[in-house]
Amino acid sequence: MPEERLYKTEEETTSADIAAALRDAADEIESGDVQLGDGAQEQTVTVPRRPQFEVELERFTDSETGEQRYELEYEIRWTK
């Protein structure tokens, strides 16, 4: 099945701004309609009442420097 990216954003920001964005997203998910972006990249999607929800924490270690990077991901998925 081919993948089609409908929306993506990535930026460095504060943990307080991330928390605020997650609170806003939680309200939209609970209402059933999630709006992403604005202007040309705007996407709206309806989240069903019982989607799959995954939380994943990963640690990556650079083999040369030993520097560690973490990724915390929240994923909601469903089929139509």
Side-chain angles (χ1 to χ4, degrees):
M1 177 182 319
E3 181 178 306
E4 178 185 7
R5 177 169 290 148
L6 301 175
Y7 180 83
K8 180 178 179 175
T9 185
E10 184 174 336
E11 63 183 294
E12 189 170 318
T13 187
T14 67
S15 57
D17 286 344
I18 293 168
L22 288 171
R23 280 190 286 276
D24 291 344
D27 290 341
E28 289 185 352
I29 292 164
E30 190 171 33
S31 78
D33 290 318
V34 176
Q35 185 174 13
L36 301 167
D38 54 22
Q41 274 201 325
E42 187 171 302
Q43 292 287 325
T44 301
V45 65
T46 300
V47 178
R49 294 185 57 81
R50 297 199 50 87
Q52 291 292 116
F53 180 58
E54 178 182 328
V55 179
E56 183 175 3
L57 175 63
E58 297 176 296
R59 178 178 52 214
F60 301 90
T61 304
D62 186 290
S63 61
E64 292 179 14
T65 65
E67 182 176 270
Q68 294 183 340
R69 175 179 59 113
Y70 292 83
E71 290 184 9
L72 173 59
E73 300 174 1
Y74 295 91
E75 183 174 304
I76 302 166
R77 65 179 172 272
W78 63 93
T79 57
K80 286 181 100 174

